[in-house]
């Protein structure tokens, strides 16, 4: 990745399209920054890159996993994916939703702050609730610049209001002024200054952030409540606030049964998907004009069958159950 340019991270929700178009229209073609945009779109199809490309001089496109970050481009989070920056490249993940959103603003802001510290400008635009506040706090904590759209200029002011209440914001301005402000900030980045920040003990690959090996807590297989661990001599017990109690051995077996139920549900869904696609193949029949559709339905059916096999292997393979045989915990 070339040195000497800024990272601009922008987050928006309700009313954000108009604000984004206003900002992008003011950005020059030679902007000394790479621009990253997250708009709360969920899994819905998005034409935002097309709209932004038509609104200003910078090309916009959905981020592609693994592509290099370069100045003078706008990277838009694609539907149903968090977008992050790691090692000078774009990262995409379908990790857990944050603040009910995927894509969410906080993952982008955190990753930008951790990688590029004071060379990051974070921008919170119109939107409900408070996604982006924690990420903007992280940008500010690591020396970056915090910018918030004036709540009076917002269709939905909650996100800017939350940021102002919880972060030492540097600039509170209307959308019409943000583009020029970002251009000035980007122009102040000295040559050779855009570099990955040193680790402070929290640095980690952002994609891995959504795949932690260790859960926060062990939960009850029956009700989902948190479990309290206790020791009775050499016997370990787990109990939840509802009153479910397990020895460690029975707890392990109960976890397996819960996993088995979920896997079987997934297998059933895949089987039904395969059958639906098969029925569509039969319905189309030998219609030559719909041959491409028939092939697509057939391929989708085969895909569902193939994807169910690893799940079947997962629950039929021999599992280790300390202190119990598998027959000991089968439903009576």
């Amino acid at each position: 990745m070339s040195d000497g340019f800024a990272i601009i991270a922008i987050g928006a929700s309700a009313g954000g399209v108009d604000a984004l178009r206003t900002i992008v229209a003011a950005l020059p073609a030679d902007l000394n920054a790479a621009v990253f945009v997250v708009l709360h779109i969920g899994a819905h199809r998005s034409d935002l890159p097309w709209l932004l490309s038509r609104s200003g001089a910078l090309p916009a496109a959905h981020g592609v996993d693994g592509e290099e970050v370069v100045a003078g481009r706008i990277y838009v989070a694609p539907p149903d994916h968090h977008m992050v920056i790691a090692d000078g490249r774009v990262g995409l993940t379908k990790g857990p939703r944050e603040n009910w959103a995927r894509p969410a603003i906080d993952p982008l802001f955190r990753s930008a702050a951790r990688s590029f510290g004071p060379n990051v400008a974070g921008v919170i635009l119109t939107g409900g609730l408070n996604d982006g506040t924690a990420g903007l706090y992280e940008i500010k904590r690591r020396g970056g610049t915090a910018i918030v759209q004036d709540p009076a200029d917002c269709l939905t002011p909650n996100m800017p209001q939350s940021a102002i209440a919880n972060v030492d914001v540097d600039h509170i301005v209307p959308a019409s002024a943000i583009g020029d402000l970002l251009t000035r900030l980007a122009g102040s980045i000295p040559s050779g200054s855009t570099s990955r920040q040193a680790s402070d003990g929290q640095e980690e690959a952002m994609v891995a952030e959504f795949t932690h090996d260790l859960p926060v807590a062990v939960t009850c297989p029956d009700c989902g409540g948190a479990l309290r661990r206790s020791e009775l001599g050499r016997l370990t017990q787990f109990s939840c606030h509802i009153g479910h109690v397990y020895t460690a051995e029975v707890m392990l077996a109960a976890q397996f049964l819960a996993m088995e139920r979920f896997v079987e549900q997934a297998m059933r869904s895949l089987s039904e998907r395969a059958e639906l696609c098969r029925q569509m193949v039969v319905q189309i029949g030998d219609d030559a004009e719909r041959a491409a559709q028939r092939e697509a339905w057939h391929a989708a059916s085969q895909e569902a069958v193939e994807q169910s096999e690893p799940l079947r292997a997962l629950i039929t393979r021999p599992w280790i159950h300390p202190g119990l045989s598998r027959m000991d915990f089968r439903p009576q």
Side-chain angles (χ1 to χ4, degrees), residues 61-98:
H62 282 131
V64 177
D65 190 50
E67 71 175 314
E68 184 180 11
V69 176
V70 296
R73 288 189 56 190
I74 300 174
Y75 302 83
V76 179
D80 206 28
H81 286 76
H82 295 306
M83 181 173 64
V84 298
I85 311 171
D87 297 321
R89 296 187 178 275
V90 176
L92 299 180
T93 172
K94 293 194 71 171
R97 292 174 178 81
E98 294 197 26

Side-chain angles (χ1 to χ4, degrees), residues 92-288:
L92 299 180
T93 172
K94 293 194 71 171
R97 292 174 178 81
E98 294 197 26
N99 301 308
W100 286 341
R102 186 176 61 217
I105 302 166
D106 281 338
L108 171 63
F109 280 22
R110 286 197 306 265
S111 68
R114 291 174 180 176
S115 291
F116 301 106
N119 291 335
V120 178
V123 184
I124 294 293
L125 302 179
T126 174
L129 300 178
N130 59 4
D131 186 28
T133 296
L136 193 66
Y137 180 91
E138 190 71 6
I139 288 173
K140 183 67 177 179
R141 186 176 77 84
R142 293 176 182 258
T145 303
I147 302 169
V148 172
Q149 182 181 2
D150 188 336
D153 184 53
C154 295
L155 177 66
T156 307
N158 303 80
M159 281 183 7
Q161 288 171 341
S162 173
I164 293 168
N166 293 282
V167 181
D168 184 13
V169 173
D170 297 291
H171 304 276
I172 303 173
V173 291
S176 59
I178 293 176
D180 289 339
L181 173 60
L182 292 174
T183 302
R184 293 197 302 273
L185 290 172
S188 69
I189 300 295
S191 177
S193 67
T194 305
S195 60
R196 188 175 178 84
Q197 301 299 300
S199 171
D200 63 359
Q202 294 181 328
E203 189 72 27
E204 61 181 312
M206 287 302 297
V207 172
E209 181 169 324
F210 301 103
T211 56
H212 287 307
D213 290 334
L214 298 177
V216 174
V218 178
T219 57
C220 177
D222 282 318
C223 69
L227 288 168
R228 179 183 295 107
R229 175 179 166 179
S230 60
E231 307 293 337
L232 302 174
R234 294 184 177 181
L235 184 67
T236 299
Q237 279 191 327
F238 295 87
S239 58
C240 72
H241 65 281
I242 297 298
H244 300 122
V245 180
Y246 310 85
T247 63
E249 293 81 5
V250 175
M251 176 69 183
L252 193 66
Q255 287 176 331
F256 177 85
L257 289 178
M259 178 198 72
E260 189 175 54
R261 286 194 297 270
F262 286 125
V263 171
E264 287 174 345
Q265 289 173 7
M267 289 174 62
R268 184 191 68 214
S269 295
L270 284 169
S271 178
E272 292 175 356
R273 177 183 175 89
E275 175 59 19
L276 170 62
C277 294
R278 188 195 66 79
Q279 291 180 17
M280 292 303 300
V281 170
V282 173
Q283 177 182 322
I284 294 172
D286 297 328
D287 188 341

